[in-house]
Structures are given as C-alpha cells and as structure tokens.
Amino acid sequence: MGLLREVVLAGQFGTSAEFDAYLAAFRLPDLFFALMAGGALGSAFIPVFATYLARDDERGAWRLASAVINWVFLLLTAAGALAAILAPILVTYLIAPGFTPAQQAITADLMRWMLVSTVIFGVSGVVMGILNARQHFLLPALAPVIYNTAIIAGAWFLGPSIGVRGATIGVVVGAAGHLLLQVPELRRQGMQYTLSLAPNDPGVREVGRLMAPRALGQAAVELNHLVNVALGSLLAAGSISALNYGRLMMLLPQGVIAQSVAIAAFPTFSTLAARGQRDELRHLLATALRSVLYLTLPAAVGLTWLREPLVSAIFERGEFDAWSTQATAWALLFYALGLVGHAVVEIVTRAFYALHDTRTPVFIGISAMLANIALSLGFMSLFGAVGWLPLGGLALANSAATTAEMLVLLFLISKRLNGLEAQRLVSALWRMGLACLVMTVGLAITSRILSTSPAWLVSAISILVAAGIYGLVTWWLGSEEPVALMRGIRQRVGV
C-alpha cells in the first residue's frame, strides 16, 4: 500500500519543488515522533508491559498503558504547538535553507498540519504496542492501509486543485483512521483507561529509563534525514524528491522482510529475555538473521541491477518524467548497497531492547549518524567534482554508515549472547553469495535479450528469472532457508 501511495504521489507531483517542500515539512514532526513516541516508545514500553502480563498483573499493565498514552499526548501537543508558532524560522534556518522563499512558506504551512498528525500517531503508536504485546497483530498491520489510503485519496482528488495540500489533508485524516481502527480491539482486550500520569509508578519510570537512550537513537536517524533535506535543498529542485523515491524503493523489501520479522519476533525476544532463556534467544536471533539475509541479499542485487527499469515501470507517468527516473535510479543504486545493513540493524537492535539494553544500539546509532553527516558532505562534494549528480553522494553516505553500524552491532550482540551460531551463518552466507552471483549472470542475459522491451516487461520477467535462479541454486547447494521458507508458506496457507 505504501508503494501505491508513492506511485500516486509521483504521478501527481513528480520530482517538483512543491513536492520537495511536502517532504521537507515531515522532518520536524517526524523528529518529535521519534523523540516521544514511535519505535523508541514501543521498544521501551513492550518489554515492561509484557513483564506485567507475565506476572498476571492486568491492573498494573493497564495503569502503565494509560499513563504512557497521557504522557505522549501532552508532550507531543506541547512540542507541536511551539513548533507551529516558530515554523517559518525553523524552515528558513534549519530545515530547508536552500529553498526559495516561496518554497519555505509552503513548507512551514504544511508542517503545521503535519504536527497535528504527529500527536495522533503518538497515541496510536502506544495502542499498537499494547496490541502487539498481547499477540494481536492484525489491526496494527491494517492500520497503515487506512493511513496510506487517505493520503492517496487526498493526492488523487484534491491534488489537481490544491496541490500538495491535498496530500497533507490526507496525512491528517489517515492518522486519525490509523488510531480509530485499533481502538475497538483495545476495548475488547479489556483496557481499563485512567486519566493519570502516574509519574512515580515504577513501570512508568522504567519505560522512561529505557526509552531515553532509544529516543536519542531514533532522533539520530531523523537528524540524518533532516541533514539530508537541508543539504538536498541546496541542490537542483527535485533532488529531495528523487532521494525520497530511491530510499523508499530500497526500504520496500526492508519493510516487507526485516520489519515484519522484527515486529513478530520482538515480543518473543522480550519473553525469552525476561525468563532468562539466553540459549533460546540466541538461536531465535540467529535463525531470524539467516532468514532476513536469505531474502535481502538477492533483493539488494536485484535493485542494483534493475534500478532503471523498475523506477520507470513503477513511477514514470504523469509529472514523473525521464529526468525523474534517472535521478531516482541514481539514488537507488547507492541506497541499495545499504539494504542488508538496514535489515540486519532492524533485527539486532530488537535483541538489545529485549535485554533492556537501549544504550548500546543508541550509542552506535549516534556514532553512525555523525559518520553519515561527515560522509554526506564529503561524498556530495566528490560526486559534484567528477560531474555526477551530488544526490548520489547523500545516498552512498547513508549506506556506508548503516553498514558500519550493522557490523559493530553484530559483533557486540554476539559477545553478549556468547555467539550467533557463526558456523551456520558462514555456511549459509557462502551459499547465498554464490547464488547471487549466478543470479546476476541470469539477469545480465535476460536484460540483453529484453533490451528493446518495455520497462514493465523487463522488470517482471527479470524478477521471475532472478527469483527462480536464486531459489534453485540455494536449494541445490543445500541451504536450509528455502526449505524453511516453503514450510512457513505452507503453514500460513494451511497446506
């Protein structure tokens, strides 16, 4: 659904200066969300909430949930009101200094609307955490569909008349739908809401203690995006949009594969850690890593090789022209190099959070942020000096910093859990690597044969060929992952 949303936005607004403003307007609201809610809160809240449930303390669990919801609402409302007042100054001097005055005015106006959606999303994020902790995943998984549908409707029906403001209205309406969809299940779960902040409650204090360093880590990620927008605003109009589309295409397999595994595995990680079952936690983490690597490695190769036909087939229509395709494909080339890093970090950080250690991944994340900023400045200048689109340097910096973050986190979690079944991991990796090499040869041959075909046909056939080659080669080499994957699919469909 997220991809469909981007297709509609691309067709309506392309890589325009107006769409650059729309994307820039998200940066401060997303930073607030990262600091006070979102993944930071979920990573801290779920283990504590799960501990109450494990002790059969329903009353304490609901008291904790109510207090967290109230804190999130108050803090986001206060921060949003202040940011709305200071919006023109923040946009001009911090978020998009390279924009024209007209772009800056649009950005400030859109940002005020998006701050409203951030407050709603903050509460909805807590509700999602509650349902996930109680092993209910359906409505939290469907909530983003409502959100994306509202944005699509706003862009499609209102975009032609009021431009990106139509999509912004969709953002606010979609955030409300995201929350309202989950509320009935929350009531069915028996939540006992109380209008209390409970600042002295041990559970609330523990959530705050765990959340503080994680929030800094999330803020570091958002600061990276803010820096990229600020630097992108100094480049040609449309650069921010192209970076956005390229990054989203890289994150599509990361979301489908790594985030799905991480969300499903995190409550189990937390339960095993709470029970002191370190061996089981180590085995589950190692298995999750091999599964994620099995799917993301070929995805990274495929995105790199098929970047132009994929971008053209998915986006090139309406306002999204040939230049937009070239710029987005250029960004995707360098973002794809970091796909594996993004996916592995998504899994490994959940293991640290389950162990109630938010400081380690946060410290590494902040270090990665600083490296990304330095590399962004260096690569952007280097790319411009050799005549390449400088936006590619921003994408490459992100991939390099994320890959380094992945390696450090893997080393540290391996020490914490006395290994990650290294022998099985190495055995799996060489099989995956060889299969990717054979797959690349297959893609080269297929691309040559279909060189004069439409982009959608090249993309579709190439993906089928690549998936077939990769799956057959890994199966022939005796990899465990394709067998486990097929077993999981059969269990889901009831075969």
Side-chain angles (χ1 to χ4, degrees):
M1 196 69 184
L3 180 60
L4 178 59
R5 177 196 68 201
E6 295 307 316
V7 169
V8 172
L9 291 172
Q12 292 285 6
F13 311 117
T15 51
S16 62
E18 185 186 32
F19 194 61
D20 281 354
Y22 171 85
L23 295 172
F26 271 105
R27 296 284 49 93
L28 196 63
D30 281 354
L31 177 60
F32 287 162
F33 183 75
L35 281 169
M36 303 175 196
L41 179 59
S43 300
F45 171 74
I46 290 178
V48 180
F49 189 74
T51 300
Y52 277 93
L53 296 178
R55 297 198 304 252
D56 292 325
D57 185 1
E58 288 275 335
R59 184 177 179 181
W62 294 129
R63 183 175 61 248
L64 170 69
S66 299
V68 170
I69 287 174
N70 296 334
W71 274 112
V72 167
F73 178 79
L74 286 177
L75 291 174
L76 284 176
T77 300
L82 181 62
I85 295 171
L86 299 176
I89 297 173
L90 292 170
V91 170
T92 301
Y93 296 102
L94 176 66
I95 298 171
F99 279 179
T100 64
Q103 276 182 288
Q104 290 173 343
I106 294 173
T107 303
D109 184 39
L110 299 181
M111 190 176 80
R112 292 188 176 104
W113 283 95
M114 290 175 184
L115 287 165
V116 175
S117 71
T118 300
V119 176
I120 301 171
F121 258 131
V123 175
S124 189
V126 182
V127 174
M128 182 177 290
I130 294 170
L131 297 181
N132 284 338
R134 296 183 71 90
Q135 301 297 313
H136 182 90
F137 301 105
L138 178 59
L139 290 181
L142 291 177
V145 176
I146 302 298
Y147 175 66
N148 288 320
T149 300
I151 296 176
I152 290 170
W156 188 271
F157 295 108
L158 301 178
S161 57
I162 60 176
V164 292
R165 288 181 173 81
T168 305
I169 292 173
V171 169
V172 178
V173 173
H178 190 281
L179 172 61
L180 294 175
L181 178 69
Q182 300 179 85
V183 170
E185 181 59 31
L186 195 63
R187 300 186 64 177
R188 280 193 291 270
Q189 293 287 339
M191 180 175 183
Q192 303 164 19
Y193 175 75
T194 56
L195 193 63
S196 170
L197 295 175
N200 295 320
D201 185 275
V204 175
R205 287 177 172 268
E206 178 67 2
V207 170
R209 185 186 71 81
L210 294 174
M211 180 183 169
R214 172 56 174 157
L216 291 176
Q218 286 289 98
V221 174
E222 292 303 326
L223 284 172
N224 271 331
H225 298 328
L226 194 152
V227 169
N228 281 350
V229 166
L231 293 175
S233 72
L234 302 172
L235 304 177
S239 294
I240 295 174
S241 302
L243 283 166
N244 172 71
Y245 293 125
R247 182 172 177 273
L248 286 173
M249 287 195 67
M250 179 273 292
L251 290 178
L252 179 62
Q254 189 261 1
V256 172
I257 300 165
Q259 286 187 5
S260 299
V261 173
I263 290 171
F266 185 42
T268 306
F269 284 170
S270 299
T271 301
L272 292 175
R275 294 174 178 172
Q277 296 174 310
R278 292 295 184 94
D279 291 341
E280 289 81 358
L281 175 58
R282 178 176 62 248
H283 176 69
L284 179 59
L285 175 59
T287 301
L289 286 173
R290 290 196 302 272
S291 299
V292 167
L293 287 169
Y294 179 76
L295 295 173
T296 54
L297 278 170
V301 173
L303 287 174
T304 301
W305 189 271
L306 299 172
R307 59 189 183 278
E308 287 198 20
L310 279 173
V311 172
S312 178
I314 294 172
F315 294 119
E316 194 170 328
R317 59 185 56 83
E319 296 298 316
F320 198 97
D321 56 20
W323 185 90
S324 300
T325 294
Q326 292 176 4
T328 301
W330 182 246
L332 178 57
L333 168 63
F334 297 103
Y335 274 131
L337 300 178
L339 172 58
V340 172
H342 281 283
V344 171
V345 167
E346 193 77 32
I347 304 296
V348 176
T349 51
R350 294 303 203 285
F352 279 104
Y353 304 148
L355 293 167
H356 289 214
D357 178 6
T358 53
R359 288 186 175 86
T360 298
V362 166
F363 176 76
I364 303 305
I366 292 174
S367 300
M369 176 202 71
L370 296 175
N372 184 36
I373 293 173
L375 290 172
S376 293
L377 293 169
F379 287 154
M380 189 173 71
S381 299
L382 177 62
F383 276 40
V386 298
W388 295 349
L389 286 176
L391 62 89
L394 298 178
L396 179 58
N398 179 270
S399 294
T402 303
T403 301
E405 180 182 8
M406 172 195 71
L407 294 174
V408 174
L409 287 174
L410 281 174
F411 173 75
L412 294 176
I413 196 65
S414 179
K415 290 185 63 178
R416 180 72 62 86
L417 296 176
N418 296 319
L420 285 175
E421 302 180 358
Q423 186 174 354
R424 294 181 67 183
L425 180 60
V426 172
S427 176
L429 279 173
W430 80 259
R431 290 178 172 86
M432 296 174 198
L434 182 57
C436 283
L437 181 60
V438 178
M439 185 188 82
T440 302
V441 175
L443 284 173
I445 295 172
T446 304
S447 298
R448 181 175 292 274
I449 293 172
L450 300 174
S451 59
T452 59
S453 301
W456 68 266
L457 185 62
V458 174
S459 300
I461 293 179
S462 295
I463 290 172
L464 291 175
V465 169
I469 292 174
Y470 183 77
L472 287 173
V473 172
T474 52
W475 174 79
W476 180 73
L477 291 173
S479 296
E480 301 175 18
E481 289 73 27
V483 176
L485 181 62
M486 291 305 299
R487 186 186 303 118
I489 293 174
R490 286 198 297 268
Q491 290 174 351
R492 285 182 177 274
V493 300
V495 177

